[in-house]
Structure formats: C-alpha cells, structure tokens
Amino acid sequence: MREIPGLELQSDDTTVLENESVIVLIPANYGSLFVTDSENGRTAAFYFEERVPALDADWPKGTHARLRATADDPEPLFQRTTTDEEMHRYLVSIGASDLRTDDVHMSVTPETDEIDVTHIYAD
C-alpha cells in the first residue's frame, strides 16, 4: 500500500472466492487488489484501472499496469503492457514479427528489463 500514493482500499466491498486456491478481491480508488493463496504460495497484485503518473516514470499513456509481489519476493515490482511500437520491436527481435498482435499479450518489468510474451493460438 505504501507503493501507491493516495491509495484507498474499499474493504467493505471485499469479495472472497474459494476453489483450489483462495482469491481475495478488494476494490480501491485506482483499481483492484487481488491476493491469492494457493499451494504455490501467496501472491498480491494491484491492477490499475487508471494511470497514476507519480508511481512510475516509465508508464506510457495507453498501457495497463500492475504492482505484483509474492511471499518469496515481497518487494513489489511494477509491470505494464507494452506500447504498439514496443510490441512490434520486441516481436521483430525474437523473429516473430509475423504474429498477429491481437493474439499476443506482452508485458514489461522496467526495473528488471524482463519481457513476458504470451501468444494465443486462435483457430
């Protein structure tokens, strides 16, 4: 919570889902906090529904972001989707420029320079 300036959790509207894991959803003024307990441990992620410019200088307009932390690594990492230009550049760099961008989800973690690419095979 300290990582997001002005964050206000709306704990009265908390939702708890139980299946093979327990998921707690807490709405807030900037988005929603998801906390998941599973056999792999606890993960907390805050998904932003609006841009908070004070949070990270590397948050281009038009991208979506989250802060994520795990029990093993409790220091939150800022992750965001890529811009169209970044996606094209990264796809070219891995020799996958022929993929339809509608079928690709790509995110970047600026602090570690990690890029996560997921391709959905559509029939």
Side-chain angles (χ1 to χ4, degrees):
M1 289 181 55
R2 293 183 305 269
E3 299 291 327
I4 306 170
L7 179 66
E8 297 172 12
L9 295 176
Q10 300 162 359
S11 56
D12 291 345
D13 295 327
T14 298
T15 303
V16 179
L17 305 169
E18 294 185 55
N19 198 349
E20 293 178 17
S21 58
V22 176
I23 301 171
V24 178
L25 164 65
I26 306 170
N29 55 331
Y30 297 128
S32 298
L33 174 64
F34 287 81
V35 180
T36 306
D37 277 323
S38 68
E39 62 185 36
N40 297 328
R42 177 173 286 169
T43 301
F46 189 89
Y47 290 85
F48 293 91
E49 293 172 7
E50 66 181 74
R51 194 167 178 276
V52 181
L55 184 64
D56 193 290
D58 187 28
W59 186 355
K61 289 183 179 178
T63 62
H64 302 281
R66 73 177 179 173
L67 275 176
R68 183 175 183 275
T70 64
D72 293 336
D73 188 6
E75 189 64 34
L77 280 177
F78 177 80
Q79 299 171 315
R80 65 168 177 82
T81 57
T82 56
T83 63
D84 291 343
E85 180 181 301
E86 288 171 324
M87 181 182 288
H88 175 73
R89 189 173 66 243
Y90 294 141
L91 288 175
V92 166
S93 74
I94 62 172
S97 60
D98 59 334
L99 293 178
R100 284 177 16 108
T101 56
D102 290 347
D103 299 335
V104 175
H105 174 77
M106 190 177 295
S107 63
V108 62
T109 306
E111 185 177 326
T112 62
D113 289 329
E114 290 180 45
I115 301 165
D116 181 63
V117 180
T118 304
H119 178 245
I120 311 277
Y121 290 98
D123 291 332

mmCIF file of all heavy atoms in Angstrom, residues 30-32 45-52 55-56 58-60 62-68 77-82 107-108 110:
data_model
loop_
_atom_site.group_PDB
_atom_site.id
_atom_site.type_symbol
_atom_site.label_atom_id
_atom_site.label_comp_id
_atom_site.label_asym_id
_atom_site.label_seq_id
_atom_site.Cartn_x
_atom_site.Cartn_y
_atom_site.Cartn_z
ATOM 1 N N TYR A 30 -7.970 3.406 -7.325
ATOM 2 C CA TYR A 30 -7.221 3.354 -8.578
ATOM 3 C C TYR A 30 -7.390 2.043 -9.340
ATOM 4 O O TYR A 30 -6.861 1.897 -10.427
ATOM 5 C CB TYR A 30 -5.726 3.551 -8.332
ATOM 6 C CG TYR A 30 -5.350 4.886 -7.763
ATOM 7 C CD1 TYR A 30 -4.565 4.971 -6.627
ATOM 8 C CD2 TYR A 30 -5.761 6.067 -8.370
ATOM 9 C CE1 TYR A 30 -4.193 6.194 -6.105
ATOM 10 C CE2 TYR A 30 -5.402 7.295 -7.845
ATOM 11 C CZ TYR A 30 -4.616 7.354 -6.720
ATOM 12 O OH TYR A 30 -4.257 8.575 -6.206
ATOM 13 N N GLY A 31 -8.056 1.065 -8.756
ATOM 14 C CA GLY A 31 -8.174 -0.243 -9.392
ATOM 15 C C GLY A 31 -8.592 -1.285 -8.379
ATOM 16 O O GLY A 31 -9.454 -1.031 -7.544
ATOM 17 N N SER A 32 -7.960 -2.459 -8.418
ATOM 18 C CA SER A 32 -8.335 -3.554 -7.520
ATOM 19 C C SER A 32 -7.104 -4.320 -7.054
ATOM 20 O O SER A 32 -6.180 -4.568 -7.828
ATOM 21 C CB SER A 32 -9.265 -4.537 -8.228
ATOM 22 O OG SER A 32 -10.459 -3.896 -8.604
ATOM 23 N N ALA A 45 -1.370 -8.699 -6.137
ATOM 24 C CA ALA A 45 -1.201 -7.870 -7.331
ATOM 25 C C ALA A 45 -2.252 -6.779 -7.322
ATOM 26 O O ALA A 45 -3.426 -7.044 -7.061
ATOM 27 C CB ALA A 45 -1.324 -8.710 -8.594
ATOM 28 N N PHE A 46 -1.819 -5.572 -7.575
ATOM 29 C CA PHE A 46 -2.745 -4.456 -7.700
ATOM 30 C C PHE A 46 -2.849 -4.115 -9.173
ATOM 31 O O PHE A 46 -1.859 -3.748 -9.815
ATOM 32 C CB PHE A 46 -2.290 -3.225 -6.909
ATOM 33 C CG PHE A 46 -3.347 -2.171 -6.864
ATOM 34 C CD1 PHE A 46 -4.294 -2.184 -5.851
ATOM 35 C CD2 PHE A 46 -3.443 -1.198 -7.847
ATOM 36 C CE1 PHE A 46 -5.306 -1.221 -5.819
ATOM 37 C CE2 PHE A 46 -4.439 -0.249 -7.830
ATOM 38 C CZ PHE A 46 -5.381 -0.262 -6.814
ATOM 39 N N TYR A 47 -4.053 -4.266 -9.741
ATOM 40 C CA TYR A 47 -4.311 -3.959 -11.142
ATOM 41 C C TYR A 47 -4.914 -2.561 -11.235
ATOM 42 O O TYR A 47 -5.958 -2.307 -10.652
ATOM 43 C CB TYR A 47 -5.268 -4.990 -11.749
ATOM 44 C CG TYR A 47 -4.629 -6.342 -11.905
ATOM 45 C CD1 TYR A 47 -4.597 -7.252 -10.864
ATOM 46 C CD2 TYR A 47 -4.023 -6.703 -13.109
ATOM 47 C CE1 TYR A 47 -3.997 -8.488 -10.997
ATOM 48 C CE2 TYR A 47 -3.426 -7.937 -13.258
ATOM 49 C CZ TYR A 47 -3.412 -8.820 -12.203
ATOM 50 O OH TYR A 47 -2.807 -10.046 -12.344
ATOM 51 N N PHE A 48 -4.244 -1.702 -11.952
ATOM 52 C CA PHE A 48 -4.681 -0.313 -12.077
ATOM 53 C C PHE A 48 -5.760 -0.175 -13.142
ATOM 54 O O PHE A 48 -5.634 -0.718 -14.238
ATOM 55 C CB PHE A 48 -3.496 0.590 -12.433
ATOM 56 C CG PHE A 48 -2.496 0.692 -11.325
ATOM 57 C CD1 PHE A 48 -1.434 -0.188 -11.254
ATOM 58 C CD2 PHE A 48 -2.634 1.651 -10.351
ATOM 59 C CE1 PHE A 48 -0.509 -0.103 -10.228
ATOM 60 C CE2 PHE A 48 -1.723 1.757 -9.315
ATOM 61 C CZ PHE A 48 -0.659 0.866 -9.258
ATOM 62 N N GLU A 49 -6.804 0.569 -12.815
ATOM 63 C CA GLU A 49 -7.841 0.914 -13.780
ATOM 64 C C GLU A 49 -7.654 2.333 -14.283
ATOM 65 O O GLU A 49 -8.330 2.756 -15.210
ATOM 66 C CB GLU A 49 -9.228 0.739 -13.152
ATOM 67 C CG GLU A 49 -9.543 -0.708 -12.852
ATOM 68 C CD GLU A 49 -10.818 -0.888 -12.064
ATOM 69 O OE1 GLU A 49 -11.551 0.104 -11.842
ATOM 70 O OE2 GLU A 49 -11.078 -2.023 -11.644
ATOM 71 N N GLU A 50 -6.752 3.060 -13.653
ATOM 72 C CA GLU A 50 -6.404 4.398 -14.112
ATOM 73 C C GLU A 50 -4.926 4.626 -13.872
ATOM 74 O O GLU A 50 -4.316 4.005 -13.002
ATOM 75 C CB GLU A 50 -7.247 5.479 -13.438
ATOM 76 C CG GLU A 50 -7.018 5.615 -11.946
ATOM 77 C CD GLU A 50 -7.894 6.683 -11.330
ATOM 78 O OE1 GLU A 50 -9.100 6.431 -11.180
ATOM 79 O OE2 GLU A 50 -7.370 7.762 -11.013
ATOM 80 N N ARG A 51 -4.362 5.479 -14.670
ATOM 81 C CA ARG A 51 -2.936 5.778 -14.607
ATOM 82 C C ARG A 51 -2.634 6.644 -13.386
ATOM 83 O O ARG A 51 -3.350 7.599 -13.105
ATOM 84 C CB ARG A 51 -2.547 6.516 -15.886
ATOM 85 C CG ARG A 51 -1.085 6.587 -16.121
ATOM 86 C CD ARG A 51 -0.827 7.045 -17.565
ATOM 87 N NE ARG A 51 0.588 7.167 -17.789
ATOM 88 C CZ ARG A 51 1.289 8.237 -17.474
ATOM 89 N NH1 ARG A 51 0.707 9.280 -16.943
ATOM 90 N NH2 ARG A 51 2.585 8.278 -17.698
ATOM 91 N N VAL A 52 -1.551 6.315 -12.684
ATOM 92 C CA VAL A 52 -1.082 7.082 -11.537
ATOM 93 C C VAL A 52 0.335 7.548 -11.893
ATOM 94 O O VAL A 52 1.302 6.832 -11.654
ATOM 95 C CB VAL A 52 -1.077 6.234 -10.243
ATOM 96 C CG1 VAL A 52 -0.615 7.054 -9.053
ATOM 97 C CG2 VAL A 52 -2.440 5.618 -9.996
ATOM 98 N N LEU A 55 3.532 7.137 -9.786
ATOM 99 C CA LEU A 55 4.004 5.802 -9.435
ATOM 100 C C LEU A 55 5.271 5.408 -10.159
ATOM 101 O O LEU A 55 6.197 4.870 -9.573
ATOM 102 C CB LEU A 55 2.904 4.775 -9.725
ATOM 103 C CG LEU A 55 3.217 3.358 -9.309
ATOM 104 C CD1 LEU A 55 3.373 3.266 -7.803
ATOM 105 C CD2 LEU A 55 2.144 2.430 -9.787
ATOM 106 N N ASP A 56 5.346 5.649 -11.455
ATOM 107 C CA ASP A 56 6.500 5.215 -12.227
ATOM 108 C C ASP A 56 6.654 6.115 -13.438
ATOM 109 O O ASP A 56 5.697 6.331 -14.166
ATOM 110 C CB ASP A 56 6.332 3.755 -12.662
ATOM 111 C CG ASP A 56 7.629 3.188 -13.184
ATOM 112 O OD1 ASP A 56 8.058 3.601 -14.274
ATOM 113 O OD2 ASP A 56 8.232 2.338 -12.513
ATOM 114 N N ASP A 58 8.204 5.393 -16.103
ATOM 115 C CA ASP A 58 8.150 4.586 -17.320
ATOM 116 C C ASP A 58 6.776 3.934 -17.476
ATOM 117 O O ASP A 58 6.651 2.717 -17.578
ATOM 118 C CB ASP A 58 9.247 3.525 -17.305
ATOM 119 C CG ASP A 58 9.339 2.767 -18.625
ATOM 120 O OD1 ASP A 58 8.980 3.347 -19.666
ATOM 121 O OD2 ASP A 58 9.746 1.593 -18.604
ATOM 122 N N TRP A 59 5.726 4.757 -17.451
ATOM 123 C CA TRP A 59 4.380 4.250 -17.619
ATOM 124 C C TRP A 59 3.716 5.031 -18.743
ATOM 125 O O TRP A 59 3.019 6.016 -18.506
ATOM 126 C CB TRP A 59 3.592 4.373 -16.323
ATOM 127 C CG TRP A 59 2.236 3.739 -16.346
ATOM 128 C CD1 TRP A 59 1.603 3.160 -17.413
ATOM 129 C CD2 TRP A 59 1.335 3.609 -15.265
ATOM 130 N NE1 TRP A 59 0.371 2.675 -17.056
ATOM 131 C CE2 TRP A 59 0.186 2.943 -15.725
ATOM 132 C CE3 TRP A 59 1.388 4.004 -13.939
ATOM 133 C CZ2 TRP A 59 -0.896 2.663 -14.915
ATOM 134 C CZ3 TRP A 59 0.308 3.714 -13.130
ATOM 135 C CH2 TRP A 59 -0.819 3.041 -13.612
ATOM 136 N N PRO A 60 3.934 4.615 -19.972
ATOM 137 C CA PRO A 60 3.372 5.365 -21.108
ATOM 138 C C PRO A 60 1.852 5.365 -21.084
ATOM 139 O O PRO A 60 1.225 4.372 -20.687
ATOM 140 C CB PRO A 60 3.881 4.593 -22.333
ATOM 141 C CG PRO A 60 5.004 3.754 -21.843
ATOM 142 C CD PRO A 60 4.730 3.483 -20.400
ATOM 143 N N GLY A 62 -1.822 4.895 -22.312
ATOM 144 C CA GLY A 62 -2.399 3.857 -23.162
ATOM 145 C C GLY A 62 -1.979 2.452 -22.797
ATOM 146 O O GLY A 62 -2.402 1.500 -23.428
ATOM 147 N N THR A 63 -1.124 2.310 -21.794
ATOM 148 C CA THR A 63 -0.733 0.976 -21.347
ATOM 149 C C THR A 63 -1.406 0.686 -20.007
ATOM 150 O O THR A 63 -1.818 1.595 -19.291
ATOM 151 C CB THR A 63 0.793 0.834 -21.212
ATOM 152 O OG1 THR A 63 1.270 1.750 -20.225
ATOM 153 C CG2 THR A 63 1.502 1.083 -22.531
ATOM 154 N N HIS A 64 -1.518 -0.599 -19.675
ATOM 155 C CA HIS A 64 -2.122 -1.026 -18.416
ATOM 156 C C HIS A 64 -1.014 -1.528 -17.502
ATOM 157 O O HIS A 64 -0.003 -2.069 -17.968
ATOM 158 C CB HIS A 64 -3.143 -2.140 -18.659
ATOM 159 C CG HIS A 64 -4.224 -1.730 -19.603
ATOM 160 N ND1 HIS A 64 -5.286 -0.954 -19.226
ATOM 161 C CD2 HIS A 64 -4.388 -1.959 -20.930
ATOM 162 C CE1 HIS A 64 -6.068 -0.729 -20.253
ATOM 163 N NE2 HIS A 64 -5.543 -1.323 -21.319
ATOM 164 N N ALA A 65 -1.209 -1.353 -16.189
ATOM 165 C CA ALA A 65 -0.133 -1.696 -15.264
ATOM 166 C C ALA A 65 -0.637 -2.410 -14.030
ATOM 167 O O ALA A 65 -1.822 -2.377 -13.708
ATOM 168 C CB ALA A 65 0.616 -0.428 -14.856
ATOM 169 N N ARG A 66 0.327 -3.052 -13.347
ATOM 170 C CA ARG A 66 0.050 -3.676 -12.062
ATOM 171 C C ARG A 66 1.317 -3.649 -11.223
ATOM 172 O O ARG A 66 2.430 -3.550 -11.741
ATOM 173 C CB ARG A 66 -0.435 -5.110 -12.226
ATOM 174 C CG ARG A 66 0.662 -6.077 -12.647
ATOM 175 C CD ARG A 66 0.158 -7.495 -12.738
ATOM 176 N NE ARG A 66 1.232 -8.381 -13.165
ATOM 177 C CZ ARG A 66 1.131 -9.669 -13.200
ATOM 178 N NH1 ARG A 66 0.013 -10.269 -12.836
ATOM 179 N NH2 ARG A 66 2.146 -10.408 -13.589
ATOM 180 N N LEU A 67 1.124 -3.717 -9.923
ATOM 181 C CA LEU A 67 2.214 -3.954 -8.975
ATOM 182 C C LEU A 67 2.017 -5.371 -8.482
ATOM 183 O O LEU A 67 0.894 -5.759 -8.128
ATOM 184 C CB LEU A 67 2.143 -2.991 -7.792
ATOM 185 C CG LEU A 67 2.781 -1.636 -7.953
ATOM 186 C CD1 LEU A 67 2.531 -0.787 -6.710
ATOM 187 C CD2 LEU A 67 4.278 -1.749 -8.198
ATOM 188 N N ARG A 68 3.085 -6.169 -8.452
ATOM 189 C CA ARG A 68 2.957 -7.574 -8.071
ATOM 190 C C ARG A 68 4.041 -7.929 -7.064
ATOM 191 O O ARG A 68 5.192 -7.535 -7.199
ATOM 192 C CB ARG A 68 3.098 -8.450 -9.312
ATOM 193 C CG ARG A 68 2.914 -9.909 -9.063
ATOM 194 C CD ARG A 68 2.959 -10.669 -10.395
ATOM 195 N NE ARG A 68 2.720 -12.069 -10.207
ATOM 196 C CZ ARG A 68 3.640 -12.953 -9.892
ATOM 197 N NH1 ARG A 68 4.888 -12.582 -9.727
ATOM 198 N NH2 ARG A 68 3.330 -14.225 -9.728
ATOM 199 N N LEU A 77 6.946 -5.345 -7.696
ATOM 200 C CA LEU A 77 7.508 -4.999 -8.991
ATOM 201 C C LEU A 77 6.422 -4.359 -9.846
ATOM 202 O O LEU A 77 5.294 -4.851 -9.895
ATOM 203 C CB LEU A 77 8.022 -6.243 -9.719
ATOM 204 C CG LEU A 77 9.374 -6.770 -9.309
ATOM 205 C CD1 LEU A 77 9.709 -8.041 -10.082
ATOM 206 C CD2 LEU A 77 10.463 -5.729 -9.545
ATOM 207 N N PHE A 78 6.774 -3.291 -10.532
ATOM 208 C CA PHE A 78 5.865 -2.615 -11.436
ATOM 209 C C PHE A 78 5.948 -3.307 -12.788
ATOM 210 O O PHE A 78 7.037 -3.490 -13.332
ATOM 211 C CB PHE A 78 6.275 -1.141 -11.553
ATOM 212 C CG PHE A 78 5.451 -0.351 -12.529
ATOM 213 C CD1 PHE A 78 4.210 0.132 -12.170
ATOM 214 C CD2 PHE A 78 5.924 -0.087 -13.802
ATOM 215 C CE1 PHE A 78 3.443 0.869 -13.053
ATOM 216 C CE2 PHE A 78 5.170 0.651 -14.700
ATOM 217 C CZ PHE A 78 3.924 1.128 -14.327
ATOM 218 N N GLN A 79 4.813 -3.717 -13.319
ATOM 219 C CA GLN A 79 4.745 -4.346 -14.630
ATOM 220 C C GLN A 79 3.675 -3.630 -15.445
ATOM 221 O O GLN A 79 2.666 -3.211 -14.905
ATOM 222 C CB GLN A 79 4.390 -5.827 -14.505
ATOM 223 C CG GLN A 79 5.417 -6.590 -13.706
ATOM 224 C CD GLN A 79 4.966 -8.008 -13.381
ATOM 225 O OE1 GLN A 79 3.832 -8.223 -12.980
ATOM 226 N NE2 GLN A 79 5.865 -8.954 -13.559
ATOM 227 N N ARG A 80 3.922 -3.502 -16.759
ATOM 228 C CA ARG A 80 2.943 -2.838 -17.613
ATOM 229 C C ARG A 80 2.913 -3.508 -18.976
ATOM 230 O O ARG A 80 3.857 -4.195 -19.356
ATOM 231 C CB ARG A 80 3.275 -1.359 -17.768
ATOM 232 C CG ARG A 80 4.588 -1.118 -18.487
ATOM 233 C CD ARG A 80 4.761 0.332 -18.874
ATOM 234 N NE ARG A 80 6.044 0.574 -19.500
ATOM 235 C CZ ARG A 80 6.333 0.344 -20.782
ATOM 236 N NH1 ARG A 80 5.419 -0.153 -21.589
ATOM 237 N NH2 ARG A 80 7.532 0.611 -21.268
ATOM 238 N N THR A 81 1.806 -3.286 -19.683
ATOM 239 C CA THR A 81 1.734 -3.766 -21.050
ATOM 240 C C THR A 81 2.629 -2.878 -21.911
ATOM 241 O O THR A 81 2.996 -1.770 -21.518
ATOM 242 C CB THR A 81 0.286 -3.742 -21.583
ATOM 243 O OG1 THR A 81 -0.229 -2.406 -21.488
ATOM 244 C CG2 THR A 81 -0.604 -4.701 -20.814
ATOM 245 N N THR A 82 2.973 -3.378 -23.072
ATOM 246 C CA THR A 82 3.832 -2.618 -23.974
ATOM 247 C C THR A 82 3.002 -1.698 -24.868
ATOM 248 O O THR A 82 1.817 -1.929 -25.070
ATOM 249 C CB THR A 82 4.645 -3.566 -24.875
ATOM 250 O OG1 THR A 82 3.742 -4.416 -25.582
ATOM 251 C CG2 THR A 82 5.619 -4.392 -24.065
ATOM 252 N N SER A 107 4.059 -7.951 -21.758
ATOM 253 C CA SER A 107 4.256 -7.008 -20.657
ATOM 254 C C SER A 107 5.748 -6.869 -20.384
ATOM 255 O O SER A 107 6.549 -7.740 -20.726
ATOM 256 C CB SER A 107 3.519 -7.465 -19.396
ATOM 257 O OG SER A 107 4.036 -8.699 -18.942
ATOM 258 N N VAL A 108 6.089 -5.767 -19.757
ATOM 259 C CA VAL A 108 7.480 -5.468 -19.443
ATOM 260 C C VAL A 108 7.584 -5.075 -17.968
ATOM 261 O O VAL A 108 6.674 -4.454 -17.416
ATOM 262 C CB VAL A 108 8.024 -4.352 -20.379
ATOM 263 C CG1 VAL A 108 7.262 -3.057 -20.194
ATOM 264 C CG2 VAL A 108 9.506 -4.129 -20.186
ATOM 265 N N PRO A 110 9.964 -2.817 -16.114
ATOM 266 C CA PRO A 110 11.063 -1.865 -16.359
ATOM 267 C C PRO A 110 12.249 -2.020 -15.399
ATOM 268 O O PRO A 110 13.398 -1.889 -15.823
ATOM 269 C CB PRO A 110 10.394 -0.496 -16.180
ATOM 270 C CG PRO A 110 8.955 -0.738 -16.457
ATOM 271 C CD PRO A 110 8.685 -2.125 -15.946
#
